[in-house]
């Protein structure tokens, strides 16, 4: 793998994670400023975070079945980043992402992630 290819993969992974963080934290800051932090509010934010992570994970997983599939290393990298975010916000989703990662590493067909 050339250095240029590695840089492209790293840039793609960073871009995806930055997009997720901006959506998550942008929505969170907007809601935080207009609402008080109640248990229900916190739960709603965590559900939103989980939905964003699931949507991004499914987009990345779908790239494996394109006519010109994405590189497995890049997909693994993005899923690892999503899993790192999910570890602190929604542990059950993190376990599911970990299962998908193991399957991809073992060249097993991977299904979409559900909430």
């Amino acid at each position: 793998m050339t250095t240029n290819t590695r840089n492209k993969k790293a840039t793609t992974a960073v871009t995806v994670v930055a997009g997720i963080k901006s959506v998550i934290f942008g929505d969170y800051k907007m809601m935080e400023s207009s609402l008080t932090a109640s248990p229900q509010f916190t739960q709603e934010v965590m559900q939103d975070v989980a939905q964003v992570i699931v949507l991004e994970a499914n987009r990345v997983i779908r790239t494996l079945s394109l006519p010109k599939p994405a590189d497995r290393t890049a997909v693994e990298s993005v899923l690892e980043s999503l899993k790192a975010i999910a570890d602190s916000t929604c542990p059950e989703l993190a376990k599911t992402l970990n299962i998908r990662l193991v399957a991809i590493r073992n060249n097993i067909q991977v299904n979409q992630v559900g909430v």
Side-chain angles (χ1 to χ4, degrees):
M1 183 177 340
T2 66
T3 304
N4 190 26
T5 305
R6 279 191 211 126
N7 289 342
K8 286 180 183 177
K9 290 177 186 176
T11 302
T12 302
V14 168
T15 303
V16 169
V17 172
I20 292 168
K21 284 182 179 179
S22 68
V23 168
I24 291 169
F25 294 119
D27 288 347
Y28 179 75
K29 291 295 181 190
M30 182 180 73
M31 289 189 289
E32 183 180 49
S33 64
S34 63
L35 299 171
T36 59
S38 66
Q40 181 183 2
F41 171 73
T42 305
Q43 184 179 11
E44 289 172 4
V45 170
M46 290 305 156
Q47 287 173 346
D48 290 344
V49 169
Q51 287 175 348
V52 170
I53 292 172
V54 166
L55 289 173
E56 287 299 320
N58 287 338
R59 285 183 193 145
V60 172
I61 290 170
R62 270 194 303 267
T63 63
L64 291 170
S65 60
L66 294 174
K68 270 190 150 180
D71 182 52
R72 287 188 180 277
T73 307
V75 172
E76 286 178 27
S77 177
V78 173
L79 288 178
E80 285 172 356
S81 298
L82 292 172
K83 182 185 170 297
I85 296 169
D87 279 334
S88 60
T89 57
C90 27
E92 289 301 316
L93 179 57
K95 289 178 186 176
T96 302
L97 291 175
N98 190 48
I99 292 168
R100 298 307 189 277
L101 273 167
V102 170
I104 289 170
R105 289 180 181 139
N106 290 309
N107 293 322
I108 298 171
Q109 177 68 32
V110 179
N111 295 328
Q112 299 288 304
V113 178
V115 178

